[in-house]
């Protein structure tokens, strides 16, 4: 056991979750608001102070901390709000507008007024240079002109430069020349496309490089501001950040393009690791928070998408495949005159749900208060104008009564609330179908791993819609993203474009390319460890087809067989006899950072579980008496019959009729369909 503190932090949009391991090896959980400028300037630093019991003005005793691992939405928010650094784009002459034109696709085909996304760069410098696709130099770099133009951009106050030249993913010499000029001029952030995204496709490579130049300085400043509070000169602390691909990286190597899904990626890692310990290897991750729900699919290895669009910007960087829908506990309810609607608008943390007593609209949370699934007496008293009142059931009931009077279809307020819940559940179930059924996976054999503040209230209903028969809820389900960041490995991913037909003579070239990528990755690995693992992947596609599938690097018959199996699963057929093309190869270097020691927990006594009280809940079109249990009082082997409510400090779990709960020897709550 480490004799020093470890901190695992997920800085989300509303709350910052902290899971800490103290020197004695015990886990401590702490939650605080991400933005609270009257009380503190930085939530993670304040959280570390709170957990260690240090006053605001005292320095943090860095000698007592071994590692801090963090997922942060700093870069994501800067991208959404367009508050990144001022950036200049240096691009091959004649292609000044290439990124603005993009692929000319129209996401909304019938829109009369097309609003183009705002470009992230402020100025463009055209570089007079050109290679052809075979690597012959047609025009050498006009260095004096390039220097003059970059100097003008620098003089206007721009400090961030993105360099994107044609064919440079293969022939990077000109980009390196321009980069050394930019360095001479004094740019502090220089993103070079063949280093940021060494892949064919000019537009997405360019976009990714611009995003990197736009966001990396924001992250650098955040990391610097964070380390200012730590006395790292005397006592170095291992500071690592979560990347969008689900791996940790040293703070010095954390880049803008890898930071977009920093927080949600931790949730998937947490779900996968905790389910694996319980013996479940095929899971659907279901993370329901206040504003949105993230769903993910896992069947043995992490699923990543290589090209993603975030906030109108195309990114070509491996990211966890996460599907997000705007349905959370705070999603606002509407009746539009003919049908019930839920979301996408959210009431947020302020004013929040109607039952918060701050004048908010009716939300999904109010439905659960109305039908009795959320009981104010088992909720923290942090509501109302003063922030010290319980949830207000009366306001929710009055508002639903008003809505019933407006709808006038003879339904009672609880039937209306139940109807809105059914719609929210259908929205979330459809999101899960998109990532599973639509890709050829049969979810009835999967486990639904449920986490996030509002997940446990709806898990049984969603599982019923999808035909899933088992639900897994970890003791730290309310802070699983932070816990997952603690359990994550360091991961370094490298890619290279190949674009060649898959033939026996290509294998030697591929092996050599894999060796080069592995060497590059190993130089970035800060810690030397014997247990590092390397995964080599090949992206294959049919000749003349645009989208590729990922297989393990092996001999040709094995790769073809893997490819055809995946192709059949996804599309329902194969093109027999058609040539295969290797589009890209990639390696992933994986290095474990922490392995938890779990002692199985023994039963203290043979008493059956004791309900605290019994309350009426409205579910399955009728009122039922539900027993209420507190999760900390349950012990391994306890069986809980439905309907029941299990409350815990970070969430409420509902066992719907037809389900049964049991507590495992690791204190996981497992719900099974009877």
């Amino acid at each position: 056991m480490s004799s020093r503190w470890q901190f695992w932090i997920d800085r989300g949009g509303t709350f910052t979750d902290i899971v800490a391991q103290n020197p004695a090896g015990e886990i401590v959980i702490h939650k605080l608001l991400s933005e609270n400028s009257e009380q503190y300037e930085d939530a993670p630093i304040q959280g570390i102070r709170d957990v260690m019991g240090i006053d605001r003005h005292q320095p943090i005793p860095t000698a007592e901390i071994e590692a801090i691992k963090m997922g942060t939405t700093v870069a994501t928010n800067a991208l959404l709000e367009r508050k990144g650094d001022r950036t200049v784009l240096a691009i091959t002459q004649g292609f000044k507008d290439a990124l603005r034109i993009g692929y000319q696709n129209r996401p909304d085909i019938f829109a009369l007024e097309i609003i183009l996304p705002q470009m992230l760069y402020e100025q463009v410098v055209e570089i007079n240079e050109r290679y052809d696709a075979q690597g012959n130099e047609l025009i050498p770099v006009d260095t004096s002109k390039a220097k003059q133009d970059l100097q003008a951009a620098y003089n206007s106050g721009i400090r961030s430069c993105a360099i994107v030249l044609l064919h440079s993913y293969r022939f990077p010499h000109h980009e390196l020349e321009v980069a050394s000029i930019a360095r001479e001029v004094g740019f502090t952030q220089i993103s070079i496309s063949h280093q940021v995204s060494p892949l064919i496709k000019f537009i997405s490579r360019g976009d990714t490089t611009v995003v990197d130049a736009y966001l990396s300085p924001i992250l650098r400043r955040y990391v610097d501001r964070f380390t200012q509070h730590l006395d790292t000169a005397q006592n170095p602390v291992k500071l690592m950040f979560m990347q969008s691909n689900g791996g940790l990286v040293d703070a010095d190597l954390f880049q803008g393009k890898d930071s977009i899904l920093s927080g949600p990626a931790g949730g998937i890692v947490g779900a996968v690791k905790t389910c694996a310990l319980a013996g479940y290897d095929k899971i659907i991750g279901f993370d329901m928070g206040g504003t949105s729900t993230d769903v993910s699919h896992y069947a043995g290895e992490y699923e990543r998408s290589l090209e993603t669009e975030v906030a109108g910007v195309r990114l070509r960087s491996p990211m966890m495949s996460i599907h997000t829908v705007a349905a959370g506990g705070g999603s606002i309810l509407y009746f539009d005159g003919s049908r019930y609607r839920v979301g996408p608008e959210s009431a947020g943390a302020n004013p929040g749900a109607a039952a918060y007593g701050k004048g908010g609209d009716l939300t999904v949370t109010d439905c659960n208060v109305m039908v009795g699934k959320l009981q104010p007496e088992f909720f923290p008293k942090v509501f109302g104008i003063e922030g010290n009142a319980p949830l207000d059931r009366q306001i929710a009931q009055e508002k639903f009564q008003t809505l019933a009077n407006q709808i006038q279809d003879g339904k009672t307020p609880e039937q209306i609330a139940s109807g809105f819940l059914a719609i929210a559940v259908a929205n979330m179930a459809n999101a899960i179908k998109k990532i599973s059924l639509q890709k050829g996976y049969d979810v009835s054999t999967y486990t639904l791993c449920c986490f996030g503040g509002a997940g446990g209230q709806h898990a049984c209903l969603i599982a019923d819609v999808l035909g899933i028969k088992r639900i897994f809820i970890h003791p730290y389900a309310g802070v699983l993203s932070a816990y997952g960041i603690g359990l994550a490995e360091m991961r370094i991913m490298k890619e290279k474009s190949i674009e060649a037909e898959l033939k026996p003579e290509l294998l030697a070239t591929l092996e050599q390319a894999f060796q080069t990528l592995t060497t590059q990755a190993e130089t970035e690995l800060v810690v030397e460890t014997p247990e590092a693992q390397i995964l080599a992947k090949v992206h294959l596609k049919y000749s003349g087809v645009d989208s590729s599938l990922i297989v393990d690097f092996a001999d040709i018959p094995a790769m073809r067989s893997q490819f055809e199996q995946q192709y059949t699963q996804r599309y329902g057929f194969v093109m027999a006899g058609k040539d295969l093309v290797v589009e890209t190869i990639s390696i992933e270097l994986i290095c474990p950072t922490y392995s938890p020691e779990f002692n199985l927990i023994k039963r203290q006594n043979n008493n059956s579980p004791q309900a605290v009280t019994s309350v009426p809940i409205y579910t399955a079109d009728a009122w039922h008496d539900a027993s209420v249990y507190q999760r900390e009082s349950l012990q391994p082997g306890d069986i809980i019959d439905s309907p029941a409510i299990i409350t815990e400090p970070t969430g409420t779990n509902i066992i719907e009729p037809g389900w049964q709960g049991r507590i495992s020897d690791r204190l996981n709550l497992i719900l099974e369909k009877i």
Side-chain angles (χ1 to χ4, degrees):
M1 270 292 150
S2 152
S3 57
R4 296 189 288 164
W5 284 88
Q6 290 227 19
F7 287 95
W8 312 325
I9 304 172
D10 173 29
R11 186 186 186 283
T14 316
F15 282 101
T16 292
D17 298 341
I18 297 181
V19 176
Q21 188 184 40
N22 67 17
E26 298 154 344
I27 297 283
V28 184
I29 289 175
H30 184 58
K31 252 182 184 319
L32 69 168
L33 286 168
S34 293
E35 296 292 334
N36 191 347
S37 44
E38 294 87 46
Q39 303 295 322
Y40 44 83
E41 64 175 294
D42 185 61
I45 286 289
Q46 183 60 34
I48 292 175
R49 289 179 188 278
D50 292 348
V51 171
M52 293 180 80
I54 299 165
D55 191 24
R56 268 176 67 178
H57 307 293
Q58 285 177 294
I60 291 177
T62 322
E64 293 173 29
I65 301 175
E66 183 186 347
I68 298 173
K69 303 175 187 174
M70 182 152 50
T72 173
T73 52
V74 170
T76 322
N77 294 345
L79 182 62
L80 293 171
E81 297 163 14
R82 296 292 194 259
K83 288 186 178 163
D85 247 34
R86 296 175 61 195
T87 303
V88 60
L89 169 64
I91 199 164
T92 304
Q93 184 151 5
F95 291 87
K96 171 179 175 180
D97 295 320
L99 301 189
R100 151 63 73 213
I101 295 165
Y103 294 128
Q104 296 197 6
N105 51 345
R106 294 172 56 182
D108 184 357
I109 201 88
F110 297 113
L112 294 175
E113 185 194 1
I114 295 172
I115 299 163
L116 291 173
Q118 190 186 340
M119 296 315 286
L120 300 182
Y121 54 82
E122 188 178 311
Q123 288 186 25
V124 184
V125 166
E126 293 192 85
I127 305 292
N128 188 17
E129 64 80 41
R130 191 67 186 266
Y131 274 121
D132 69 6
Q134 283 67 45
N136 304 312
E137 186 178 57
L138 304 179
I139 305 170
V141 177
D142 183 342
T143 47
S144 60
K145 174 97 168 61
K147 182 162 189 182
Q148 183 187 337
D149 292 349
L150 287 170
Q151 187 68 55
Y154 182 86
N155 294 346
S156 73
I158 297 176
R159 294 291 175 269
S160 208
C161 175
I163 302 170
V164 186
L165 305 180
L166 269 180
H167 306 304
S168 63
Y169 70 96
R170 252 194 188 153
F171 311 110
H173 187 67
H174 283 180
E175 278 196 349
L176 294 169
E177 273 187 71
V178 177
S180 73
I181 295 170
R183 229 167 266 122
E184 263 174 60
V185 170
F187 285 97
T188 50
Q189 168 67 37
I190 301 166
S191 295
I192 313 169
S193 82
H194 74 270
Q195 291 171 1
V196 172
S197 172
L199 302 173
I200 192 170
K201 291 192 181 175
F202 186 58
I203 303 294
S204 48
R205 174 162 54 94
D207 272 348
T208 309
T209 309
V210 171
V211 168
D212 195 64
Y214 185 73
L215 296 178
S216 292
I218 300 277
L219 287 174
R220 278 279 75 71
R221 286 198 287 272
Y222 181 73
V223 171
D224 293 345
R225 210 168 55 235
F226 187 84
T227 44
Q228 265 174 10
H229 294 276
L230 307 169
D231 176 20
T232 45
Q234 298 296 316
N235 306 293
V237 171
K238 232 191 294 173
L239 178 60
M240 291 186 245
F241 280 88
M242 189 68 175
Q243 308 175 84
S244 308
N245 62 27
L248 291 164
V249 68
D250 198 80
D252 298 333
L253 297 169
F254 193 37
Q255 280 180 291
K257 72 177 173 82
D258 295 325
S259 63
I260 304 298
L261 294 179
S262 178
I268 298 185
V269 176
V272 166
K273 296 273 188 191
T274 52
C275 283
L277 282 169
Y280 307 131
D281 57 352
K282 288 165 73 174
I283 65 168
I284 296 287
F286 169 63
D287 173 7
M288 182 176 179
T291 37
S292 64
T293 296
D294 294 330
V295 296
S296 52
H297 170 267
Y298 178 86
E301 55 183 55
Y302 292 119
E303 288 196 356
R304 299 194 176 92
S305 49
L306 281 175
E307 203 156 329
T308 325
E309 187 164 311
V310 182
V313 180
R314 284 174 298 270
L315 268 172
R316 190 93 176 281
S317 177
M319 287 193 191
M320 284 286 200
S321 215
I322 299 175
H323 186 62
T324 304
V325 280
S331 294
I332 296 175
L333 316 178
Y334 303 92
F335 175 67
D336 64 6
S338 58
R339 57 184 178 151
Y340 298 2
R341 308 289 292 274
V342 178
E345 286 78 14
S346 166
N350 192 12
Y356 286 10
K358 289 186 180 177
D361 293 314
L362 282 175
T363 65
V364 171
T365 299
D366 295 301
C367 291
N368 284 315
V369 172
M370 182 70 215
V371 298
K373 291 178 182 176
L374 288 182
Q375 295 290 327
E377 50 274 28
F378 297 107
F379 237 75
K381 294 183 170 48
V382 293
F383 304 105
I385 303 296
E386 299 292 318
N388 56 7
L391 273 175
D392 193 327
R393 185 183 290 147
Q394 198 183 343
I395 293 183
Q397 288 169 339
E398 284 166 7
K399 288 209 168 197
F400 272 111
Q401 189 57 59
T402 311
L403 192 58
N405 299 343
Q406 179 196 336
I407 296 173
Q408 287 184 333
D409 63 354
K411 285 198 165 75
T412 61
E414 59 271 20
Q415 283 173 323
I416 289 172
S418 189
F420 277 113
L421 277 179
I423 289 166
V425 164
N427 289 348
M428 294 183 280
N430 284 339
I432 292 175
K433 286 177 185 170
K434 211 181 201 100
I435 57 157
S436 54
L437 292 173
Q438 290 183 16
K439 292 186 176 175
Y441 299 105
D442 170 15
V443 291
S444 63
T445 58
Y446 280 67
T447 300
L448 185 69
C449 178
C450 164
F451 55 105
Q457 300 162 28
H458 308 93
C460 289
L461 297 174
I462 286 171
D464 278 334
V465 172
L466 295 165
I468 292 177
K469 303 189 179 55
R470 186 191 299 121
I471 298 166
F472 173 92
I473 303 173
H474 191 265
Y476 304 142
V479 291
L480 201 66
S481 287
Y483 189 59
I485 288 167
L487 301 181
E489 300 96 346
M490 285 188 83
R491 287 173 186 261
I492 296 171
M493 300 183 79
K494 295 284 172 200
E495 302 141 326
K496 181 177 169 63
S497 269
I498 300 290
E499 293 294 330
E501 198 179 309
L502 182 62
K503 290 180 178 159
E505 49 269 33
L506 183 68
L507 289 179
T509 316
L510 292 183
E511 275 174 2
Q512 196 181 349
F514 275 125
Q515 194 48 56
T516 314
L517 292 180
T518 306
T519 313
Q520 283 176 10
E522 282 169 345
T523 53
E524 281 185 26
L525 194 63
V526 190
V527 281
E528 283 299 317
T529 87
E531 59 259 41
Q533 179 195 357
I534 291 170
L535 302 181
K537 300 283 183 187
V538 178
H539 300 236
L540 289 179
K541 60 183 184 183
Y542 281 124
S543 159
V545 172
D546 203 30
S547 52
S548 57
L549 295 172
I550 304 174
V551 301
D552 296 324
F553 180 52
D555 54 32
I556 291 182
M559 288 197 282
R560 182 177 272 279
S561 142
Q562 269 189 70
F563 175 81
E564 287 178 350
Q565 188 187 344
Q566 283 191 42
Y567 203 89
T568 311
Q569 184 184 13
R570 182 75 60 91
Y571 302 112
F573 67 96
V574 289
M575 303 187 204
K578 199 168 168 96
D579 291 333
L580 288 179
V581 171
V582 177
E583 181 185 49
T584 308
I585 59 167
S586 59
I587 67 128
E588 185 173 351
L589 182 64
I590 305 169
C591 180
T593 60
Y594 172 78
S595 48
E597 292 180 15
F598 281 112
N599 304 324
L600 299 184
I601 296 168
K602 303 261 192 310
R603 273 189 84 88
Q604 303 297 318
N605 52 44
N606 288 327
N607 304 345
S608 56
Q610 293 300 309
V612 192
T613 177
S614 157
V615 295
I617 67 169
Y618 184 83
T619 186
D621 301 327
W623 284 100
H624 301 260
D625 273 328
S627 309
V628 180
Y629 299 89
Q630 287 187 321
R631 183 152 177 186
E632 52 263 38
S633 70
L634 299 173
Q635 45 179 351
D638 279 348
I639 301 286
I640 293 123
D641 291 316
S642 60
I645 299 176
I646 298 178
T647 66
E648 50 186 309
T650 54
T652 298
N653 308 306
I654 308 292
I655 306 182
E656 297 281 345
W659 288 79
Q660 187 181 56
R662 67 180 167 87
I663 301 290
S664 78
D665 50 12
R666 288 200 168 90
L667 294 183
N668 299 316
L669 171 59
I670 293 163
L671 308 181
E672 282 165 330
K673 188 83 178 155
I674 303 168

